[in-house]
Amino acid sequence: MAGKTALMTSLAEKLSDIVGAAFAAQGLPVELGAVRVSDRPDLCQFQCNGAMAAAKLAKKNPREVAQGVVEVLKECPPTPSLPPVGGEGNPFQKIEIAGPGFINIDVSDAFIARQLAAMQGDEHAGVAQSGAGQTVVLDYGGPNIAKPMHVGHLRSSIIGDSLRRTMKAAGYKTIGDVHMGDWGTPMGMILSELEILGHDGPVSMEQLAEIYPKASSDCKADEARMEKARAATKGLQDGDETYTRKWRQFIDISIEGMRGNFDALGVHFDEWKGESDAHPFIAAMIEDLKAGGWAVESDGAWVVPVERETDKKEMPPLILLKSDGAVLYGTTDLATIIDRVRTHNPDKIVYVVDQRQSLHFEQVFRAARKGGLVGEDRPELTFAGFGTMNGADGKPFKTRAGGVMKLEDLIAMGVEKARARLEEANLAADMDEAEREEIAHKVALAAIKFADLQNQRQSDYVFDLDRMTSFEGKTGPYLLYQAVRIQSLLRKAGEAFPSPQPSPQGEEVFVIADEDRALALLLAELPDHFELALKNYMPHVLCDYAYRLAQEFSSFYGNCHILSEEDEALRASRLTLCALTHRQLCLVLSVLGIEVPERM
Ligand code: ARG
């Protein structure tokens, strides 16, 4: 985009530019100069391993190649993209060759200080606005009308909302859509059950909670009963007035209930659409797919073949229309893409859905591209699938009685445990009842969300309330506690040293002593972790970062004087480090959907 300000880059990216240029100066590919944070911090801060690959290309000895690069770097004048560092042009403190040709790098403290100052002065705290000018629709939540939300919906909501927040923090225009299941056979089961019961007026949530399971089990047991449900579904989809009126009523009360649930969970949606909203697009879509020859008839049904020669697994066609003319899940998902493209013209659509639906989405994506519902590569269609939340028995999490755990019960369980944990740790003790409850709620949500998000998205994990609510270890409550602790330190500092204003460029703020360096370097990594989390739709990357940051802060706090530091410049620098740590920690927690209490 023209006129856009340069993206905030991390130290590793800045170094990659510099080292890449040194590779290029040797006639080698720039990419081989990629620098990353060292995985041996005891040896060096950053490393570049490109000399090995470069040596193969240049048919030279890797150490020789590395030597050539290092010589250029030692002379390194600041690159134009990198203004000189307070008088010291060269960003390197140490640069040496190790083993077969690794280039090990330490940067100068001035270089680190500059990076921190830039992040501190940045309104996004250093998060590159890589999504600026782009729109993304995120499809998550996906609860089904009349059925209780199960743990799969919980995961979808937590992960999806976090991805929405992360993308928003990176500058995307984000639209979170709950995409309710409100159009399939369960609707017909309810409508036909209402007929059988002779129930004509509005139904309540409680009635619905009884009607649906009964109808569903009757339908399963009796084909004739099922036929009634199918007919009612078809009637609804064909626009029957009575069905539509009744359906609208129970949809409305269901949504009301869901809103309450999602509010309690702190999960936000911009749109409350459902499968039914795709309906107006279906007839024309099917006509087009038939006319284009993309849809073919198969045993009375209409399908879109989507297999490719390169497929290793069987790839069944997407079923558009059943032989009785009813539409299916794939049909509504295809038509929903049309709706989204027309309404939002998004650059990306991301589906946060149970991994077991990956085949379904592969079919939908292929059919959408093949049938020209979307362009060849825009919008990008991404399936961000997730694994199962299991109980201690390794099977999908259930209540003690073996039923589906309702979201409100799960939260209530979490809050009760959080209350006990607060008491155990003697936290929030001097607060009034209302504040203590509010904190217990925040601790519970932090526990539940962090326990979910910290796992690699595709892995299954075991729901362990005891462990996730602990104030120790890699948990949400531990992170809240650390954030609150820094907050109270900053509050105290504010009282003792009424706000020293950072210098206009913020450049002289940071003084990096030995005790500060590890925290400073870690703070400087933030852009890398955001980028990785965004690239792979992986919130756990940010969970890891938040946890490392909290731990590093703890050592920093234990190792050095902050408020009691006598050197004024160092004290101011350390307080600013604390403030930046707090800002980053709260930012990362907020994109994870976790709210930090004022105190605890
Ligand atoms: N309602 C579906 C379910 O419970 C999830 C919907 C996911 N989103 C979608 N566009 N299909 O499995």
Side-chain angles (χ1 to χ4, degrees), residues 409-419 440 443-444 448 465 469:
D409 295 341
L410 187 88
I411 295 177
M413 235 165 73
V415 173
E416 191 185 312
K417 190 86 209 173
R419 243 185 253 125
V443 169
I448 295 172
L465 197 56
T469 52

Side-chain angles (χ1 to χ4, degrees), residues 299-347:
D299 290 334
W302 282 87
V303 305
V304 181
V306 291
E307 81 273 331
R308 292 179 188 153
E309 261 173 32
T310 47
D311 284 337
K312 301 236 157 39
K313 289 180 305 200
E314 200 197 339
M315 181 57 64
L318 178 133
I319 305 177
L320 268 189
L321 275 184
K322 288 199 293 183
S323 47
D324 66 356
V327 302
L328 291 176
Y329 191 41
T331 328
T332 56
D333 263 327
L334 269 185
T336 301
I337 293 181
I338 298 180
D339 186 11
R340 287 175 177 161
V341 167
R342 291 203 188 154
T343 316
H344 302 295
N345 185 20
D347 298 276

Side-chain angles (χ1 to χ4, degrees), residues 139 142-144 153 179 181 329 333 351 353 357 361:
D139 179 315
N144 298 316
H153 299 121
H179 200 79
Y329 191 41
D333 263 327
Y351 296 83
V353 184
Q357 295 189 27
F361 282 97

Side-chain angles (χ1 to χ4, degrees), residues 370-386:
K370 191 174 171 187
L373 274 52
V374 293
E376 233 163 81
D377 46 20
R378 186 176 180 277
E380 197 177 286
L381 301 171
T382 301
F383 175 66
F386 53 80

